[in-house]
Short mmCIF file of all heavy atoms in Angstrom, two decimals:
data_model
loop_
_atom_site.label_atom_id
_atom_site.label_comp_id
_atom_site.label_asym_id
_atom_site.label_seq_id
_atom_site.Cartn_x
_atom_site.Cartn_y
_atom_site.Cartn_z
N SER A 61 65.30 113.96 65.52
CA SER A 61 65.04 112.75 64.64
C SER A 61 64.50 113.11 63.28
O SER A 61 63.76 114.09 63.18
CB SER A 61 64.01 111.75 65.27
OG SER A 61 63.73 110.65 64.49
N LEU A 62 65.09 112.44 62.16
CA LEU A 62 64.51 112.71 60.91
C LEU A 62 63.15 112.11 60.71
O LEU A 62 62.47 112.46 59.67
CB LEU A 62 65.58 112.13 59.84
CG LEU A 62 66.90 112.85 59.64
CD1 LEU A 62 67.81 112.00 58.88
CD2 LEU A 62 66.62 114.19 59.09
N TYR A 63 62.84 111.23 61.49
CA TYR A 63 61.59 110.45 61.41
C TYR A 63 60.66 110.73 62.52
O TYR A 63 60.90 111.03 63.67
CB TYR A 63 61.85 109.00 61.24
CG TYR A 63 62.91 108.63 60.31
CD1 TYR A 63 64.20 108.27 60.74
CD2 TYR A 63 62.70 108.71 58.90
CE1 TYR A 63 65.23 107.99 59.88
CE2 TYR A 63 63.76 108.40 57.99
CZ TYR A 63 64.99 108.06 58.53
OH TYR A 63 66.00 107.68 57.60
N GLY A 64 59.31 110.58 62.28
CA GLY A 64 58.37 110.88 63.28
C GLY A 64 57.22 109.88 63.19
O GLY A 64 57.16 109.03 62.28
N LEU A 65 56.31 109.99 64.15
CA LEU A 65 55.20 109.18 64.05
C LEU A 65 53.94 109.99 63.98
O LEU A 65 53.73 111.07 64.51
CB LEU A 65 55.03 108.34 65.46
CG LEU A 65 55.91 107.13 65.58
CD1 LEU A 65 55.79 106.55 67.00
CD2 LEU A 65 55.58 106.05 64.58
N ASN A 66 52.97 109.54 63.16
CA ASN A 66 51.69 110.14 63.07
C ASN A 66 50.86 109.59 64.05
O ASN A 66 50.29 108.61 64.03
CB ASN A 66 51.09 109.83 61.65
CG ASN A 66 49.77 110.63 61.39
OD1 ASN A 66 48.92 110.77 62.28
ND2 ASN A 66 49.63 111.12 60.14
N GLY A 67 50.62 110.42 65.16
CA GLY A 67 49.95 109.97 66.40
C GLY A 67 48.44 109.61 66.10
O GLY A 67 47.98 108.67 66.59
N GLU A 68 47.77 110.37 65.20
CA GLU A 68 46.40 110.10 64.97
C GLU A 68 46.24 108.77 64.19
O GLU A 68 45.33 107.85 64.52
CB GLU A 68 45.79 111.18 64.09
CG GLU A 68 45.58 112.50 64.81
CD GLU A 68 44.74 112.23 66.16
OE1 GLU A 68 43.72 111.59 66.19
OE2 GLU A 68 45.23 112.72 67.18
N GLU A 69 47.21 108.47 63.30
CA GLU A 69 47.13 107.22 62.46
C GLU A 69 47.50 106.03 63.52
O GLU A 69 46.88 104.99 63.41
CB GLU A 69 48.11 107.18 61.31
CG GLU A 69 47.69 108.10 60.23
CD GLU A 69 46.65 107.43 59.38
OE1 GLU A 69 46.17 106.36 59.72
OE2 GLU A 69 46.20 108.12 58.38
N LEU A 70 48.49 106.27 64.37
CA LEU A 70 48.85 105.25 65.26
C LEU A 70 47.78 104.87 66.22
O LEU A 70 47.47 103.73 66.51
CB LEU A 70 50.07 105.71 65.93
CG LEU A 70 50.69 104.59 66.99
CD1 LEU A 70 51.11 103.38 66.12
CD2 LEU A 70 51.96 105.16 67.68
N ARG A 71 46.89 105.87 66.59
CA ARG A 71 45.81 105.74 67.60
C ARG A 71 44.73 105.01 66.85
O ARG A 71 44.10 104.08 67.34
CB ARG A 71 45.34 107.07 68.10
CG ARG A 71 44.14 106.94 69.05
CD ARG A 71 43.34 108.20 69.05
NE ARG A 71 44.03 109.37 69.35
CZ ARG A 71 44.24 109.86 70.56
NH1 ARG A 71 43.69 109.20 71.68
NH2 ARG A 71 44.91 110.97 70.79
N SER A 72 44.41 105.30 65.55
CA SER A 72 43.44 104.74 64.86
C SER A 72 43.56 103.26 64.54
O SER A 72 42.48 102.56 64.45
CB SER A 72 43.13 105.47 63.43
OG SER A 72 44.14 105.31 62.63
N VAL A 73 44.78 102.78 64.40
CA VAL A 73 44.89 101.32 64.08
C VAL A 73 44.79 100.46 65.29
O VAL A 73 44.66 99.36 65.12
CB VAL A 73 46.24 101.13 63.43
CG1 VAL A 73 46.45 101.96 62.19
CG2 VAL A 73 47.36 101.39 64.32
N GLU A 74 44.74 101.01 66.50
CA GLU A 74 44.48 100.24 67.69
C GLU A 74 45.41 98.95 67.80
O GLU A 74 44.90 97.86 68.04
CB GLU A 74 42.97 99.78 67.78
CG GLU A 74 42.13 101.08 67.83
CD GLU A 74 40.63 100.68 67.99
OE1 GLU A 74 40.29 99.52 67.76
OE2 GLU A 74 39.91 101.52 68.37
N ALA A 75 46.60 99.24 67.62
CA ALA A 75 47.56 98.06 67.68
C ALA A 75 47.79 97.60 69.03
O ALA A 75 47.74 98.33 70.07
CB ALA A 75 49.02 98.60 67.27
N THR A 76 47.88 96.25 69.25
CA THR A 76 48.08 95.67 70.52
C THR A 76 49.59 95.37 70.80
O THR A 76 50.05 95.33 71.86
CB THR A 76 47.48 94.22 70.62
OG1 THR A 76 47.99 93.33 69.67
CG2 THR A 76 45.95 94.36 70.44
N HIS A 77 50.44 95.42 69.71
CA HIS A 77 51.87 95.30 69.75
C HIS A 77 52.49 96.33 68.83
O HIS A 77 52.08 96.46 67.72
CB HIS A 77 52.32 93.92 69.56
CG HIS A 77 51.87 92.79 70.41
ND1 HIS A 77 50.51 92.36 70.42
CD2 HIS A 77 52.49 92.13 71.32
CE1 HIS A 77 50.41 91.44 71.26
NE2 HIS A 77 51.57 91.29 72.01
N VAL A 78 53.52 97.07 69.29
CA VAL A 78 54.28 97.86 68.47
C VAL A 78 55.72 97.35 68.41
O VAL A 78 56.41 97.37 69.43
CB VAL A 78 54.25 99.32 68.99
CG1 VAL A 78 55.18 100.21 68.19
CG2 VAL A 78 52.85 99.91 69.02
N PHE A 79 56.19 96.96 67.30
CA PHE A 79 57.61 96.49 67.17
C PHE A 79 58.45 97.70 66.59
O PHE A 79 58.13 98.30 65.59
CB PHE A 79 57.63 95.42 66.16
CG PHE A 79 57.17 94.05 66.72
CD1 PHE A 79 55.85 93.71 66.48
CD2 PHE A 79 57.93 93.24 67.56
CE1 PHE A 79 55.27 92.61 67.14
CE2 PHE A 79 57.39 92.08 68.00
CZ PHE A 79 56.13 91.76 67.85
N THR A 80 59.59 97.91 67.29
CA THR A 80 60.39 98.98 66.89
C THR A 80 61.91 98.52 67.16
O THR A 80 62.16 97.44 67.38
CB THR A 80 60.16 100.24 67.76
OG1 THR A 80 60.93 101.30 67.34
CG2 THR A 80 60.39 100.08 69.26
N GLN A 81 62.90 99.43 67.05
CA GLN A 81 64.25 99.22 67.29
C GLN A 81 64.93 100.43 67.82
O GLN A 81 64.54 101.57 67.64
CB GLN A 81 64.95 98.69 65.99
CG GLN A 81 64.85 99.75 64.91
CD GLN A 81 65.99 100.76 64.87
OE1 GLN A 81 67.09 100.39 65.10
NE2 GLN A 81 65.68 101.99 64.64
N ALA A 82 66.14 100.18 68.61
CA ALA A 82 66.96 101.20 69.08
C ALA A 82 68.34 101.04 68.57
O ALA A 82 69.20 101.71 69.12
CB ALA A 82 66.95 101.24 70.63
N LEU A 83 68.54 100.24 67.54
CA LEU A 83 69.94 99.96 67.06
C LEU A 83 70.47 101.05 66.28
O LEU A 83 71.65 101.55 66.26
CB LEU A 83 69.86 98.83 66.12
CG LEU A 83 71.19 98.25 65.67
CD1 LEU A 83 72.13 97.69 66.90
CD2 LEU A 83 70.90 97.08 64.67
N CYS A 84 69.63 101.78 65.51
CA CYS A 84 70.00 102.81 64.54
C CYS A 84 69.00 103.95 64.55
O CYS A 84 67.99 103.74 63.96
CB CYS A 84 70.15 102.23 63.21
SG CYS A 84 70.73 103.40 61.93
N ASP A 85 69.43 105.14 64.93
CA ASP A 85 68.49 106.24 64.91
C ASP A 85 68.41 106.92 63.56
O ASP A 85 67.54 107.77 63.35
CB ASP A 85 69.02 107.43 65.89
CG ASP A 85 68.74 106.92 67.43
OD1 ASP A 85 67.94 106.06 67.53
OD2 ASP A 85 69.31 107.54 68.26
N VAL A 86 69.28 106.63 62.61
CA VAL A 86 69.36 107.16 61.36
C VAL A 86 68.53 106.29 60.28
O VAL A 86 68.39 106.65 59.13
CB VAL A 86 70.75 107.60 60.72
CG1 VAL A 86 71.43 108.47 61.69
CG2 VAL A 86 71.46 106.30 60.51
N CYS A 87 68.12 105.08 60.75
CA CYS A 87 67.43 104.13 59.89
C CYS A 87 65.89 104.11 60.03
O CYS A 87 65.28 103.80 59.11
CB CYS A 87 68.02 102.73 60.22
SG CYS A 87 69.83 102.55 59.94
N ALA A 88 65.48 104.56 61.16
CA ALA A 88 64.06 104.50 61.46
C ALA A 88 63.69 105.45 62.66
O ALA A 88 64.62 106.03 63.10
CB ALA A 88 63.69 103.09 61.75
N VAL A 89 62.42 105.43 62.99
CA VAL A 89 62.04 106.37 64.20
C VAL A 89 62.78 105.95 65.30
O VAL A 89 62.91 104.79 65.64
CB VAL A 89 60.54 106.16 64.30
CG1 VAL A 89 59.96 107.10 65.53
CG2 VAL A 89 59.70 106.60 63.11
N SER A 90 63.27 106.86 66.12
CA SER A 90 64.11 106.63 67.28
C SER A 90 63.15 105.96 68.39
O SER A 90 61.95 106.30 68.50
CB SER A 90 64.79 107.91 67.86
OG SER A 90 63.79 108.82 68.39
N TYR A 91 63.73 105.11 69.31
CA TYR A 91 62.97 104.48 70.20
C TYR A 91 62.28 105.55 71.19
O TYR A 91 61.14 105.26 71.53
CB TYR A 91 64.06 103.56 71.03
CG TYR A 91 63.26 102.77 72.13
CD1 TYR A 91 62.56 101.56 71.90
CD2 TYR A 91 63.22 103.26 73.40
CE1 TYR A 91 62.01 100.89 72.79
CE2 TYR A 91 62.60 102.54 74.46
CZ TYR A 91 61.94 101.40 74.12
OH TYR A 91 61.30 100.75 75.09
N PRO A 92 62.98 106.54 71.63
CA PRO A 92 62.27 107.46 72.57
C PRO A 92 61.05 108.08 71.92
O PRO A 92 60.07 108.32 72.72
CB PRO A 92 63.39 108.53 72.88
CG PRO A 92 64.60 107.78 72.62
CD PRO A 92 64.48 106.88 71.58
N VAL A 93 61.13 108.39 70.60
CA VAL A 93 59.93 108.87 69.99
C VAL A 93 58.84 107.89 70.05
O VAL A 93 57.60 108.30 70.17
CB VAL A 93 60.33 109.23 68.53
CG1 VAL A 93 59.02 109.60 67.71
CG2 VAL A 93 61.21 110.47 68.37
N VAL A 94 59.13 106.65 69.68
CA VAL A 94 57.97 105.53 69.85
C VAL A 94 57.47 105.47 71.18
O VAL A 94 56.16 105.52 71.34
CB VAL A 94 58.61 104.15 69.48
CG1 VAL A 94 57.61 103.19 69.59
CG2 VAL A 94 59.14 104.22 68.00
N VAL A 95 58.12 105.40 72.14
CA VAL A 95 57.66 105.37 73.54
C VAL A 95 56.92 106.61 74.00
O VAL A 95 55.85 106.40 74.43
CB VAL A 95 58.92 105.11 74.59
CG1 VAL A 95 58.39 105.21 76.09
CG2 VAL A 95 59.53 103.83 74.33
N ASP A 96 57.50 107.79 73.59
CA ASP A 96 56.76 109.07 73.96
C ASP A 96 55.33 109.18 73.30
O ASP A 96 54.46 109.51 73.93
CB ASP A 96 57.71 110.19 73.70
CG ASP A 96 57.10 111.44 74.08
OD1 ASP A 96 56.84 111.66 75.30
OD2 ASP A 96 56.68 112.41 73.18
N THR A 97 55.34 108.73 71.98
CA THR A 97 54.16 108.83 71.26
C THR A 97 53.08 107.90 71.81
O THR A 97 51.89 108.19 71.96
CB THR A 97 54.38 108.55 69.77
OG1 THR A 97 55.31 109.46 69.26
CG2 THR A 97 53.06 108.68 68.95
N CYS A 98 53.48 106.65 72.00
CA CYS A 98 52.57 105.65 72.63
C CYS A 98 52.09 106.17 73.90
O CYS A 98 50.89 105.93 74.30
CB CYS A 98 53.16 104.30 72.77
SG CYS A 98 53.46 103.43 71.19
N ALA A 99 52.92 106.84 74.76
CA ALA A 99 52.44 107.17 76.12
C ALA A 99 51.47 108.26 76.08
O ALA A 99 50.57 108.41 76.73
CB ALA A 99 53.68 107.69 76.90
N LYS A 100 51.76 109.26 75.10
CA LYS A 100 50.93 110.50 75.03
C LYS A 100 49.63 110.25 74.09
O LYS A 100 48.66 110.68 74.48
CB LYS A 100 51.81 111.61 74.47
CG LYS A 100 52.82 112.11 75.30
CD LYS A 100 53.57 113.26 74.77
CE LYS A 100 54.65 113.86 75.73
NZ LYS A 100 55.54 114.90 75.06
N ILE A 101 49.84 109.67 72.97
CA ILE A 101 48.74 109.52 71.99
C ILE A 101 47.90 108.46 72.31
O ILE A 101 46.67 108.52 72.44
CB ILE A 101 49.29 109.43 70.52
CG1 ILE A 101 50.12 110.57 70.16
CG2 ILE A 101 48.22 109.30 69.62
CD1 ILE A 101 49.47 111.88 70.18
N ILE A 102 48.44 107.26 72.63
CA ILE A 102 47.56 106.07 72.97
C ILE A 102 47.30 105.95 74.45
O ILE A 102 46.50 105.17 74.89
CB ILE A 102 48.32 104.84 72.51
CG1 ILE A 102 48.68 104.95 71.02
CG2 ILE A 102 47.42 103.56 72.56
CD1 ILE A 102 49.48 103.79 70.44
N ALA A 103 47.89 106.81 75.22
CA ALA A 103 47.58 107.03 76.62
C ALA A 103 48.09 105.80 77.38
O ALA A 103 47.48 105.37 78.49
CB ALA A 103 46.14 107.31 76.95
N GLY A 104 49.09 105.10 76.86
CA GLY A 104 49.52 103.85 77.59
C GLY A 104 50.97 104.15 78.12
O GLY A 104 51.78 104.84 77.46
N PRO A 105 51.34 103.74 79.25
CA PRO A 105 52.65 103.92 79.86
C PRO A 105 53.66 103.07 79.06
O PRO A 105 53.37 102.10 78.62
CB PRO A 105 52.48 103.42 81.26
CG PRO A 105 51.41 102.33 81.27
CD PRO A 105 50.58 102.88 80.21
N PRO A 106 54.90 103.58 79.00
CA PRO A 106 55.95 102.85 78.47
C PRO A 106 56.14 101.55 78.96
O PRO A 106 56.09 101.37 80.23
CB PRO A 106 57.26 103.71 78.62
CG PRO A 106 56.82 105.01 78.90
CD PRO A 106 55.49 104.87 79.60
N ARG A 107 56.30 100.39 78.11
CA ARG A 107 56.26 99.03 78.62
C ARG A 107 57.68 98.39 78.51
O ARG A 107 57.87 97.35 78.88
CB ARG A 107 55.34 98.09 77.87
CG ARG A 107 53.94 98.60 78.28
CD ARG A 107 52.92 97.53 77.61
NE ARG A 107 51.65 97.74 78.12
CZ ARG A 107 51.12 97.25 79.22
NH1 ARG A 107 51.87 96.48 79.90
NH2 ARG A 107 49.93 97.45 79.59
N ALA A 108 58.60 99.06 77.69
CA ALA A 108 59.81 98.50 77.54
C ALA A 108 60.93 99.53 77.44
O ALA A 108 60.64 100.75 77.22
CB ALA A 108 59.78 97.69 76.18
N SER A 109 62.12 99.17 77.48
CA SER A 109 63.24 99.95 77.25
C SER A 109 64.25 99.34 76.38
O SER A 109 64.26 98.06 76.16
CB SER A 109 64.03 100.23 78.69
OG SER A 109 64.47 98.98 79.15
N PRO A 110 65.06 100.04 75.69
CA PRO A 110 65.88 99.52 74.64
C PRO A 110 66.78 98.61 75.32
O PRO A 110 67.29 98.78 76.40
CB PRO A 110 66.59 100.65 73.98
CG PRO A 110 66.56 101.81 74.98
CD PRO A 110 65.22 101.54 75.69
N SER A 111 67.13 97.42 74.68
CA SER A 111 68.01 96.44 75.20
C SER A 111 69.43 96.54 74.80
O SER A 111 69.82 97.33 73.97
CB SER A 111 67.51 95.00 74.75
OG SER A 111 67.88 94.86 73.45
#
Side-chain angles (χ1 to χ4, degrees):
S61 176
L62 289 170
Y63 311 104
L65 282 174
N66 185 321
E68 291 305 313
E69 288 286 3
L70 189 58
R71 185 205 301 270
S72 70
V73 300
E74 298 183 342
T76 59
H77 297 73
V78 175
F79 287 93
T80 185
Q81 59 87 42
L83 184 67
C84 177
D85 287 341
V86 304
C87 303
V89 179
S90 69
Y91 182 86
V93 170
V94 174
V95 173
D96 186 62
T97 302
C98 287
K100 292 181 179 178
I101 301 298
I102 309 178
R107 291 186 172 273
S109 59
S111 72

